Amino acid sequence: MSPSAQDQTFLTDYFDRLRQVNVLDAGLVEAIAATRDVFATAKQAGGKVAVIGNGGSAGIAAHIAIDLSKNGKVPAICFNDAAQITCLANDYGFENWIAHAVRMNLRPGDVLVAISSSGKSPNILNAVKAAKELGLKVVTLSGFLPDNPLRKLGDVNFWADSRAYNIVETAHQFWLMSVIDLIIGKAEYSAN
């Protein structure tokens, strides 16, 4: 089956949306460099980076934590273990489970990266509040509305100007991967 004119129109619009979100302007350069610096400071202080999200953002969190540790040589974790999620959600409620994981696992000098497409997920917002109470640096990644609550809470705040989940999530992952590659200093390197 060959692509139709409708397919071409849809995909042209779709790819244009991603390009528009990923325009490299001074603000995005500043946010990427500032995130690199926050991660480097944590590493130098013996700290780590914790990356959190729900659903697709949790998948991004896991990917970033692995690559940041393995390739970027910055210790990183995420809280995606099913037993931990169900235990803490059962004991403290879904809105508070990540905040409790933050209090259990992070210390001053660590960094929290909070990913939420809407910027309104209560468990993410509560985790950021817990991180701030511990004195942690916070990097946020959000999308959808420009005045979403998460966008106002970080030391570094990324915002994807889109209402499409897949566009927002793709931008978030790309931006965080660019931070890792900026730490490494090159885009192409061995996976070993």
Side-chain angles (χ1 to χ4, degrees):
M1 186 163 149
S2 61
S4 68
Q6 279 183 308
D7 295 339
Q8 181 67 42
T9 300
F10 176 86
L11 291 172
T12 297
D13 174 67
Y14 195 78
F15 277 65
D16 283 345
R17 289 170 184 249
L18 183 59
R19 273 192 291 277
Q20 290 168 10
V21 167
N22 271 319
V23 171
L24 186 63
D25 59 16
L28 186 53
V29 170
E30 183 178 326
I32 291 169
T35 301
R36 179 220 31 218
D37 295 346
V38 167
F39 291 175
T41 299
K43 178 182 176 180
Q44 290 167 356
K48 63 186 163 297
V49 175
V51 192
I52 61 170
N54 293 310
S57 297
I60 294 167
H63 186 169
I64 297 305
I66 291 165
D67 281 7
L68 187 57
S69 294
K70 178 181 173 275
N71 299 328
K73 309 297 187 229
V74 176
I77 60 172
C78 69
F79 304 128
N80 290 359
D81 178 73
Q84 176 177 245
I85 295 168
T86 57
C87 172
L88 297 179
N90 183 64
D91 292 351
Y92 301 101
F94 190 79
E95 288 79 17
N96 295 306
W97 82 265
I98 304 176
H100 197 73
V102 165
R103 287 190 286 275
M104 286 183 352
N105 293 287
L106 301 181
R107 301 291 171 261
D110 292 338
V111 176
L112 181 70
V113 176
I115 309 169
S116 170
S117 292
S118 70
K120 299 190 312 186
S121 301
N123 62 342
I124 301 297
L125 295 171
N126 290 338
V128 169
K129 181 180 176 190
K132 288 296 198 178
E133 288 169 358
L134 291 171
L136 306 184
K137 292 287 187 184
V138 174
V139 175
T140 73
L141 294 100
S142 64
F144 295 9
L145 300 177
D147 62 345
N148 74 70
L150 183 62
R151 187 178 182 197
K152 303 170 190 161
L153 298 178
D155 298 286
V156 180
N157 299 290
F158 291 85
W159 177 66
D161 186 6
S162 177
R163 275 87 179 147
Y165 273 103
N166 287 337
I167 300 296
V168 172
E169 289 176 351
T170 298
H172 289 169
Q173 180 161 338
F174 185 75
W175 295 339
L176 288 171
M177 297 301 283
S178 71
V179 171
I180 294 168
D181 287 349
L182 186 61
I183 290 168
I184 295 165
K186 54 187 171 182
E188 295 182 18
Y189 44 85
S190 170
N192 295 330

